Amino acid sequence: MEKELLLNKVKFPVLILSSKAGFGNYSVGCALKDQLSKYGRVYHKPIEEIISINLNRVNFQRYKLI
């Protein structure tokens, strides 16, 4: 019941951004997309596809070290 009340407040389409640096965030994004897609249009993109190549390279290397 609580889930349905929350979903009534969601304005579709939904965009989920996540990172593939460790795949944890990306996996959660995939799960959210699967769950929310039953109720409306949902798009899931890795942030690495959106940011510049240079920014991607710098941040991805930093996350790899962490």
Side-chain angles (χ1 to χ4, degrees):
M1 176 88 171
E2 188 173 318
K3 179 180 172 182
E4 298 299 324
L5 291 174
L6 290 173
L7 285 169
N8 286 333
K9 296 179 182 183
V10 175
K11 303 224 188 265
F12 290 92
V14 171
L15 172 62
I16 300 168
L17 294 174
S18 59
S19 175
K20 286 186 167 183
F23 279 112
N25 289 329
Y26 190 76
S27 298
V28 170
C30 288
L32 283 172
K33 180 183 180 202
D34 289 345
Q35 288 296 312
L36 291 175
S37 291
K38 300 171 189 171
Y39 304 98
R41 287 183 305 162
V42 180
Y43 304 93
H44 179 216
K45 289 283 187 191
I47 195 74
E48 291 84 1
E49 289 182 7
I50 297 171
I51 61 176
S52 70
I53 293 171
N54 188 44
L55 189 59
N56 185 1
R57 187 179 311 116
V58 170
N59 283 309
F60 194 77
Q61 289 302 318
R62 184 170 56 95
Y63 289 129
K64 241 174 133 175
L65 292 173
I66 294 172

